[in-house]
Amino acid sequence: MKRPYLIAYRNGDRIAADFVFRHKDGGACFVCLFWDLPEGKPFRVLDGPVFQYERSWHVGEGVTIRELTKDDPEWSGWEAWQEYKSSPEGRRATDELGIAACLRDGAIID
C-alpha cells in the first residue's frame, strides 16, 4: 500500500491517514492528517492481529486499512493536508518528523 490511507471501522467511521505502520504490540498504528496541530490526536494504535488481504490490511475486529483514492469523500482532506504542508505554518510538518514520532511510539518500519 502507499500513501494516503483510509482507515475504515466496522461502525462506518472513516479516517484519512498520512502514515500507517505495523506496531510492536502486534497491531497497526497510523498518523492522522494535520498531525502537527495541537488539538489533534496524531498517533493511534489499533489492536491486532494484522492480516494482509490483497491490497488492504485487516486489523483486529473489523478495521480495514487501504489506499485512499480520489473517489473517496476523504480525498479532499488529503488535498487540504498537502496544501497546508506547503504553507508557511505547515512547513514544520515534515515526513521525517512524523516518522520519528511513530518510531518513538512503537511503529515498526520495514
Side-chain angles (χ1 to χ4, degrees):
M1 286 189 298
K2 60 181 182 165
R3 312 167 50 185
Y5 303 97
L6 179 70
I7 315 302
Y9 292 88
R10 182 187 312 198
N11 68 3
D13 288 349
R14 296 161 53 103
I15 299 172
D18 196 2
F19 299 103
V20 173
F21 301 107
R22 294 186 188 275
H23 193 265
K24 68 178 183 180
D25 292 337
C29 54
F30 66 94
V31 181
C32 299
L33 308 182
F34 299 97
W35 53 262
D36 70 317
L37 298 177
E39 64 271 9
K41 294 181 180 176
F43 188 85
R44 300 184 188 183
V45 177
L46 302 168
D47 292 331
V50 177
F51 300 98
Q52 188 166 354
Y53 180 73
E54 294 180 3
R55 298 184 66 188
S56 64
W57 288 0
H58 298 269
V59 184
E61 295 291 322
V63 179
T64 301
I65 302 172
R66 65 168 175 81
E67 292 177 15
L68 183 68
T69 67
K70 291 181 180 182
D71 297 332
D72 292 313
E74 294 80 9
W75 184 260
S76 62
W78 174 252
E79 290 178 320
W81 171 237
Q82 296 307 302
E83 187 175 310
Y84 168 76
K85 284 176 61 175
S86 65
S87 72
E89 59 272 3
R91 287 204 175 128
R92 68 179 181 270
T94 65
D95 289 356
E96 293 78 17
L97 188 60
I99 291 169
C102 293
L103 288 170
R104 280 193 306 275
D105 285 336
I108 299 171
I109 299 175
D110 342 64

